[in-house]
């Protein structure tokens, strides 16, 4: 049988094509295997040592789109874990070609993403992974005209492409103000496009938008003004409408950050959005980090002005923050207590509201049970401001053990000097109006001399007006302790003791300040009993005779009973 030329070609193809198909399958299998292994952060070092990066860079140039995309995803995963891998990928000079292919616009999306959109997903993910590490890598990406490519990706109807592109911008912007300004410049019109993406209602995209706003706004107020010109405040209000904990955990730090720049801007943000109401509502959510972020934002609000602080109070912020403090421990309590501290500093009325909400009891509980010293210092400072306004507030504070707890903390020998100093300052503020004798007696043995001077002065104020307390002052032994104290003549403490002494009769002073008791006892010892008068002598004789007769009768009765018993 004669074989024709055509049949010979077909047979050759049947022999050759399986070899290439096997090679293609092997390349795809290799790329997929590396991509799967790269998903585990513990494997990146072994993959790098085995030479995975150069092989993946080779596969990036493969003619098969599936193999290209799989290799890019694998590189993105590895680059995400390690900066050395990210730098090696850049050195292999694949970024210019990758960025160039990203610039192709796509105007349609199907239920199943097409090859072009799948490529954009993978490529933007690789850029995102590389750009997150440091400013130098981010600058290299910008120099490859990546911002122009990312602009096209943001316009892409595929939400995955849009999300990854926006997150890449966030990673670039976070490293420096220079890069953030580049992104915010009018050259690329990226900010309007990012803001416009909020209307997509796709949660991952909304989170990405919030992330890039956060990273841009953190650098300077100049960048915040650029964002404001692009309607950032209405955009934030729109984002607050979403009931998503992850999104809220990005939004709340944005609100905090924006509020830190200027009082007027903070007030505008709170007035034109429902940010304060939202933060107070979110304090009840289950996510502990979300609650903390709410607390930090409310703290930032009360720092600025009385007007903004009043807005927080009007929304019930004090009671909600106190409830928050009760539920948490250690570092999570810090923003809540700082909130109360900043509010207490503002004015007397706000301090009074804090006391009325029973915050002092909660603060005392922290001093008694929470081990975090940084937190205790803020608590002490807060108590000091609350007690610094008037006697009424201090009287409410003395219904608890607050002053004693602060004094005990100050007396702790291992306490940091800075915290000791804070304790003593707060004690001085609270003692200014403290007229509670028991509290003053309780702390007088543990405070240092400059605080003791204040205690003695307060004793003098109290004892001057209340006789019953003067009596108690002696019976409790406090007067004796005071009189035994040794202070230099002319010192404030010695003058205070003199003022105390003016509140008592001279006999009492003499009793405690001289050897009067010893002299009295010596007189008793050496005293010669006096002879009683005649009438008293005859009475003594009469009583003595009766006593003798009683004894004789008693003995006679006993003797008679003994005889009868014997008989």
């Amino acid at each position: 049988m004669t074989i024709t030329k055509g049949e010979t070609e077909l047979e050759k193809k049947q022999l050759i094509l399986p070899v290439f198909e096997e090679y293609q399958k092997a390349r795809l299998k290799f790329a997929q295997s590396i991509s799967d292994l790269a998903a585990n952060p513990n494997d990146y070092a072994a993959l790098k040592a085995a030479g995975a990066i150069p092989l993946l860079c080779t596969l990036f140039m493969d003619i098969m789109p599936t193999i290209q995309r799989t290799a890019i995803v694998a590189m993105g995963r590895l680059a995400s874990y390690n900066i050395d891998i990210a730098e090696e990928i850049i050195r292999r000079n694949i970024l210019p070609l990758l960025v160039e292919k990203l610039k192709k616009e796509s105007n349609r999306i199907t239920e199943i993403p097409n090859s072009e959109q799948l490529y954009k997903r993978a490529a933007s993910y690789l850029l995102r992974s590389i750009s997150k590490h440091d400013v130098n890598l981010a600058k290299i990406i910008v120099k490859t005209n990546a911002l122009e490519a990312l602009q096209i990706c943001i316009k892409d109807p595929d939400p995955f492409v849009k999300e990854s592109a926006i997150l890449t911008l966030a990673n670039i912007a976070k490293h420096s103000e220079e890069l953030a300004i580049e992104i915010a410049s009018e050259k690329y019109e990226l900010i309007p496009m990012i803001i416009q993406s909020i209307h997509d209602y796709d949660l991952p995209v909304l989170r990405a938008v919030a992330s890039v706003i956060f990273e841009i706004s953190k650098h300077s107020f100049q960048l915040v003004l650029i964002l404001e010109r692009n309607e950032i405040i209405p955009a934030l209000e729109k984002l607050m409408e979403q009931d998503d904990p992850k999104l809220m955990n990005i939004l709340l730090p944005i609100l905090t950050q924006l509020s830190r720049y200027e009082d007027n801007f903070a007030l505008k943000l709170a007035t034109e959005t429902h940010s304060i109401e939202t933060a107070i509502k979110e304090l009840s959510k289950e996510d502990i980090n979300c609650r903390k972020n709410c607390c930090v934002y409310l703290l930032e609000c009360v720092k600025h002005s009385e007007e903004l602080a009043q807005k927080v109070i009007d929304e019930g912020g004090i009671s909600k923050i106190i409830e928050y403090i009760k539920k948490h421990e250690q570092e999570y309590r810090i923003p809540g207590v700082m909130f109360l501290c900043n509010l207490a500093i503002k004015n007397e009325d706000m301090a009074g509201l804090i006391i009325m909400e029973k915050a002092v009891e909660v603060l005392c509980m922290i001093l008694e049970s929470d081990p975090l010293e940084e937190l205790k210092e803020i608590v002490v400072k807060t108590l000091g401001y609350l007690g610094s306004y008037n006697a009424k507030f201090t009287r409410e504070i003395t219904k608890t053990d607050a002053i004693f707890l602060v004094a005990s903390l100050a007396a702790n020998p291992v306490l940091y000097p800075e915290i000791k100093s804070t304790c003593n300052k707060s004690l001085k503020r609270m003692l200014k109006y403290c007229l509670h004798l028991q509290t003053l007696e309780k702390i007088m043995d543990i405070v240092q001399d400059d605080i003791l001077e204040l205690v003695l002065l307060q004793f003098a104020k109290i004892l001057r007006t209340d006789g019953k307390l003067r009596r108690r002052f002696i019976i409790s032994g406090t007067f004796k302790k005071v009189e035994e104290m040794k202070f230099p003549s002319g010192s404030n403490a010695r003058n205070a003791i003199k003022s105390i002494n003016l509140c008592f009769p001279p006999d009492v002073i003499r009793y405690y300040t001289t050897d009067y008791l010893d002299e009295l006892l010596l007189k008793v010892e050496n005293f010669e009993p006096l002879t009683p008068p005649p009438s008293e002598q005859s009475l003594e004789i009469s009583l003595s005779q009766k006593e003798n007769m009683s004894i004789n009768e008693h003995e006679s009765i006993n003797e008679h009973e003994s005889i009868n018993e014997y008989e």
Side-chain angles (χ1 to χ4, degrees), residues 12-78:
K12 286 182 179 180
K13 284 183 179 180
Q14 289 174 344
L15 289 172
I16 294 171
L17 285 178
V19 175
F20 283 91
E21 288 173 359
E22 191 66 29
Y23 176 51
Q24 180 180 321
K25 288 178 183 177
R27 298 195 317 275
L28 181 58
K29 183 179 179 181
F30 173 80
Q32 189 61 59
S33 298
I34 297 298
S35 182
D36 292 341
L37 289 169
N40 185 349
N42 297 322
D43 292 340
Y44 80 86
L47 289 169
K48 181 177 183 295
I53 303 305
L55 293 172
L56 289 172
C57 287
T58 302
L59 292 177
F60 166 73
M61 305 297 294
D62 199 279
I63 59 170
M64 297 299 298
T66 306
I67 296 173
Q68 282 184 27
R69 294 195 302 269
T70 308
I72 293 171
V73 170
M75 284 190 285
R77 288 174 175 171
L78 291 171

Side-chain angles (χ1 to χ4, degrees), residues 369-560:
S369 61
D370 202 300
L372 191 64
E373 290 192 348
E374 179 188 357
L375 174 62
K376 288 184 177 182
E377 183 178 12
I378 304 167
V379 168
V380 167
K381 193 178 293 185
T382 306
L383 289 169
Y385 284 117
L386 290 175
S388 66
Y389 287 103
N390 55 54
K392 180 183 175 183
F393 289 0
T394 306
R395 190 159 53 247
E396 289 298 316
I397 289 173
T398 55
K399 290 178 181 178
T400 67
D401 259 350
I403 294 178
F404 175 72
L405 290 170
V406 174
S408 299
L409 187 64
N412 187 341
V414 298
L415 198 68
Y416 289 115
E418 296 82 3
I419 304 180
K420 275 183 180 288
S421 175
T422 301
C423 289
N424 289 325
K425 286 177 183 176
S426 290
L427 279 173
K428 289 175 182 178
R429 290 191 180 105
M430 289 187 283
L431 290 175
K432 180 181 178 183
Y433 293 108
C434 181
L435 300 174
H436 191 252
L437 186 63
Q438 289 91 328
T439 298
L440 296 169
E441 288 177 331
K442 201 171 181 180
I443 68 169
M444 64 180 293
D445 292 330
I446 59 175
V447 295
Q448 62 187 38
D449 285 353
D450 58 333
I451 306 297
L452 184 56
E453 289 178 4
L454 295 175
V455 172
L456 295 171
L457 287 169
Q458 295 307 102
F459 278 147
K461 290 180 185 177
I462 297 168
L463 298 171
R464 188 172 297 280
T465 59
D466 195 321
K468 289 183 179 179
L469 288 181
R470 289 196 291 270
R471 177 188 176 91
R472 188 195 179 285
F473 195 68
I474 292 174
I475 294 171
S476 66
T478 308
F479 185 80
K480 184 174 184 295
K481 286 182 183 178
V482 169
E483 296 304 322
E484 290 173 350
M485 290 178 180
K486 305 297 182 185
F487 291 102
S489 179
S491 64
N492 291 334
R494 174 49 57 191
N495 292 334
I497 293 173
K498 287 180 180 178
S499 297
I500 292 170
N501 289 345
L502 293 174
C503 300
F504 293 91
D507 289 347
V508 176
I509 308 301
R510 184 182 169 208
Y511 183 85
Y512 285 102
T513 59
T514 66
D515 296 329
Y516 177 73
L517 182 60
D518 292 336
E519 292 173 9
L520 193 60
L521 292 174
L522 185 61
K523 283 182 180 181
V524 170
E525 184 180 341
N526 297 327
F527 183 70
E528 288 292 336
L530 301 175
T531 304
S535 58
E536 291 183 9
Q537 288 181 15
S538 61
L539 179 61
E540 283 184 16
I541 293 169
S542 175
L543 290 171
S544 178
Q545 288 173 349
K546 286 183 179 181
E547 187 177 351
N548 290 335
M549 286 175 63
S550 177
I551 291 170
N552 291 334
E553 286 176 5
H554 183 68
E555 288 176 352
S556 174
I557 291 167
N558 286 344
E559 183 180 353
H560 178 69

Side-chain angles (χ1 to χ4, degrees), residues 118-134:
L118 289 172
Y119 178 85
K120 284 186 174 183
R121 289 183 184 183
S124 56
Y125 171 64
L126 177 57
L127 290 177
R128 175 174 137 202
S129 298
I130 293 173
S131 62
K132 79 175 194 178
H133 288 291
D134 68 14

Side-chain angles (χ1 to χ4, degrees), residues 256-305:
T256 303
Q257 198 161 262
L258 293 175
S259 299
R260 282 178 177 155
Y261 288 108
E262 278 192 1
D263 289 358
N264 291 335
F265 191 83
L267 183 60
K268 181 178 182 181
L269 184 63
T271 304
E272 296 184 10
T273 69
H274 294 85
S275 56
I276 290 176
E277 298 93 315
T278 301
I280 290 174
K281 182 182 73 173
E282 292 292 322
L283 274 172
S284 305
K285 292 297 177 71
E286 292 183 5
D287 188 332
I288 188 171
N289 290 317
C290 183
R291 292 199 296 266
K292 183 180 178 183
N293 287 333
C294 291
C295 205
V296 171
Y297 172 59
L298 294 174
L299 163 63
E300 199 59 45
C301 287
V302 301
K303 276 183 179 180
H304 282 288
S305 64

Side-chain angles (χ1 to χ4, degrees), residues 172-358:
I172 293 171
K174 73 179 182 180
H175 294 299
S176 72
E177 184 177 358
E178 178 189 352
L179 288 171
I181 289 172
E182 182 77 9
I183 290 170
S185 67
E186 295 180 358
K187 177 181 177 182
Y188 302 104
E189 296 185 345
L190 289 169
I191 300 300
M193 292 172 61
I194 290 168
I195 301 298
Q196 186 61 33
S197 299
I198 291 173
H199 301 290
D200 292 341
Y201 296 105
D202 188 82
L203 270 177
V205 173
L206 296 183
R207 292 177 197 142
V209 169
S211 296
V212 75
I213 291 171
F214 176 80
E215 299 299 350
I216 291 173
S217 64
K218 74 180 183 182
H219 292 292
S220 68
F221 191 56
Q222 175 192 352
L223 284 164
V224 172
L225 293 176
I226 293 173
L227 292 172
E228 186 188 13
R229 287 198 294 271
N230 286 280
E231 303 296 324
I232 186 62
I233 293 180
L236 291 173
E237 176 72 1
K238 192 81 175 172
L239 289 172
M240 283 180 220
E241 295 173 1
Q242 304 298 319
D243 187 17
D244 178 61
K246 290 183 180 178
L247 177 59
M248 197 56 65
N249 271 333
I250 308 170
L251 269 178
L252 288 162
I254 291 173
L255 295 172
T256 303
Q257 198 161 262
L258 293 175
S259 299
R260 282 178 177 155
Y261 288 108
E262 278 192 1
D263 289 358
N264 291 335
F265 191 83
L267 183 60
K268 181 178 182 181
L269 184 63
T271 304
E272 296 184 10
T273 69
H274 294 85
S275 56
I276 290 176
E277 298 93 315
T278 301
I280 290 174
K281 182 182 73 173
E282 292 292 322
L283 274 172
S284 305
K285 292 297 177 71
E286 292 183 5
D287 188 332
I288 188 171
N289 290 317
C290 183
R291 292 199 296 266
K292 183 180 178 183
N293 287 333
C294 291
C295 205
V296 171
Y297 172 59
L298 294 174
L299 163 63
E300 199 59 45
C301 287
V302 301
K303 276 183 179 180
H304 282 288
S305 64
E306 290 187 7
E307 184 179 357
L308 205 48
Q310 191 61 52
K311 280 183 173 292
V312 177
I313 292 170
D314 292 342
E315 294 296 328
I318 295 177
S319 59
K320 290 291 185 181
I321 291 292
I322 292 171
E323 194 63 32
Y324 167 87
I325 294 170
K326 288 180 185 176
K327 288 181 179 178
H328 297 80
E329 294 181 352
Q330 298 193 35
E331 66 271 8
Y332 283 98
R333 282 174 165 165
I334 289 176
V337 179
M338 288 183 68
F339 171 92
L340 296 178
C341 185
N342 279 274
L343 211 54
I345 294 170
K346 289 283 183 238
N347 61 48
E348 186 173 332
D349 292 337
M350 292 182 182
L353 291 171
I354 293 171
I355 292 172
M356 193 173 16
E357 291 287 351
K358 306 296 182 185

